[in-house]
Amino acid sequence: MNDIKLEIEFSESNELITSLLAFKTKSLHKGIQLGNSWARNVKGKLSETTLELIENTELKESILNLLLLACPKKDSVHDFLEWIGDVSVGEIYEQVSIWAPEDTNDLRNINEWRSNMVQLLSLWYEEYYQHLDRSIINTLTKNAQKNKELLKDYKPVDYIEEITNGLRLEFINKVKRVILIPQYHISPYNLTSDFNGLTIIYYSTQIEQMNPELPSLSILNIARALMDENRLRILRYLTNGEKSFTEVVQFIGLAKSTVHYHMVILRSAGLVRVHVYSQGRERYSLRNGALNKFNSGLTSYLGLEKLKLG
C-alpha cells in the first residue's frame, strides 16, 4: 500500500457551503435529520433575491471544494469570500487541473459564476449562517480536534470507517490524500468527492442532546433501524459476507426504492459497512461493532451496569 496522507480539518467556510448545499438540494430534505421543516423554516427567512440566486446558480461543489482546499484563510467566512473574489482565473484553473482536469470544462464563464457565488454565499451567510447556533460550530471544531488524536491508533482504511460510521474505501491504495471534514447539515449522510488521487469526505457529525435524561442520537438511530422486520432480515443476510445492492433486493423481494430506503436507514445508524471499490462500485456487510456499541450504550443509559446482579 502506498503512503496515504490522512487529514482532518474543519472551518466555518466548510459548513457554510455544506449548509447551502443541504438547502438547495431538495431531494435531501426528507432524509436529513434537519428534515423538511428546517428547509421550510429557512425558506421563510430568505429574501427573494437570495432564493432566486439559489434557484439559478449552479454550486459546482467539486470546484468549490478545491478552492476551499487552496484558500489560505478559510477559517473566516469573510476572508474566504474575499479570497474567492480576488483569486485569479489562472490560479483557479491551476488548482482544478491538478486534482480534476476533467472538470476544467466547467470553468467556462468562470468570472460570472464566481461573481454569482460570492454574492450568493454572502447573502446566505447574512440571512442564515451567521444566525446558526454557535454550539454547532463548536461541536464540529471539537470533533475535528478529537479525531485528529485518533489518527495514530488506526490503519487508514479502518480509521476512515470509524470516523464515517461505516464507509470503507477498498480502493485506498489508489488514493494519495484523504481529507475528512465533520459536517452537520447533511447528517446522517456522508458526502464524498473523488478526484485524481484525492478523496474529500464530509462525514456526518451528530449534535448530541445535553440532557442526560435523554438517550443519545446513536442509540435512537440504531433502535429505530432495528424496529422493522425487513431491516432485521437484511442485517441477518449481510452476516454472510459482502453483498451487492442487487443481491439484497433479490433476497428481500421488495421494490428497489423500498430496499434503498431501508439501506439508507441501516447505513445512517452505522449498522452496515459500505465497501466502496473503484469507479464507485459498492457492496455491503454487517458492522458487528455497531451492535456491540449499541448494547454498551443502552446498558449505560439504562443504568444497568450499576445494578448488582446475583
Side-chain angles (χ1 to χ4, degrees), residues 238-255:
L238 294 180
T239 62
N240 298 319
E242 293 182 28
K243 305 294 181 183
S244 68
F245 179 76
T246 299
E247 288 172 322
V248 175
V249 170
Q250 291 173 344
F251 165 76
I252 204 70
L254 299 172

Side-chain angles (χ1 to χ4, degrees), residues 129-152:
Y129 192 73
Q130 69 171 332
H131 306 293
L132 193 65
D133 187 341
R134 291 301 304 179
S135 66
I136 294 173
I137 301 301
N138 293 337
T139 297
L140 294 173
T141 301
K142 291 177 181 177
N143 179 277
Q145 293 170 343
K146 180 192 73 174
N147 285 332
K148 281 181 182 179
E149 298 173 0
L150 297 176
L151 272 170
K152 62 182 183 299

Side-chain angles (χ1 to χ4, degrees), residues 129-278:
Y129 192 73
Q130 69 171 332
H131 306 293
L132 193 65
D133 187 341
R134 291 301 304 179
S135 66
I136 294 173
I137 301 301
N138 293 337
T139 297
L140 294 173
T141 301
K142 291 177 181 177
N143 179 277
Q145 293 170 343
K146 180 192 73 174
N147 285 332
K148 281 181 182 179
E149 298 173 0
L150 297 176
L151 272 170
K152 62 182 183 299
D153 299 328
Y154 291 86
K155 295 179 180 178
V157 68
D158 296 328
Y159 177 81
I160 294 169
E161 180 184 336
E162 179 69 19
I163 297 302
T164 61
N165 210 24
L167 192 65
R168 193 167 185 88
L169 303 186
E170 303 291 0
F171 62 91
I172 194 72
N173 61 325
K174 299 180 181 179
V175 178
K176 297 177 182 177
R177 186 179 181 189
V178 178
I179 302 174
L180 295 122
I181 303 166
Q183 59 83 16
Y184 163 70
H185 281 84
I186 301 180
S187 294
Y189 301 128
N190 297 311
L191 180 65
T192 303
S193 296
D194 292 316
F195 303 97
N196 292 341
L198 168 68
T199 296
I200 299 176
I201 304 172
Y202 284 84
Y203 63 89
S204 173
T205 305
Q206 296 176 337
I207 309 299
E208 293 289 354
Q209 298 277 2
M210 298 305 293
N211 188 345
E213 295 298 316
L214 298 176
S216 69
L217 287 175
S218 60
I219 290 177
L220 286 174
N221 287 340
I222 293 179
R224 289 167 180 162
L226 297 175
M227 290 174 56
D228 183 273
E229 177 183 336
N230 286 315
R231 289 198 286 271
L232 288 172
R233 290 179 61 210
I234 290 172
L235 289 177
R236 188 170 186 266
Y237 179 59
L238 294 180
T239 62
N240 298 319
E242 293 182 28
K243 305 294 181 183
S244 68
F245 179 76
T246 299
E247 288 172 322
V248 175
V249 170
Q250 291 173 344
F251 165 76
I252 204 70
L254 299 172
K256 288 183 178 180
S257 58
T258 303
V259 176
H260 179 265
Y261 168 75
H262 288 313
M263 292 300 291
V264 167
I265 292 175
L266 292 171
R267 289 175 61 169
S268 299
L271 291 168
V272 169
R273 180 180 292 109
V274 185
H275 303 264
V276 183
Y277 293 89
S278 57

Side-chain angles (χ1 to χ4, degrees), residues 274-289:
V274 185
H275 303 264
V276 183
Y277 293 89
S278 57
Q279 299 179 334
R281 186 169 58 91
E282 294 183 352
R283 295 178 68 82
Y284 308 96
S285 65
L286 177 70
R287 290 186 79 216
N288 299 347

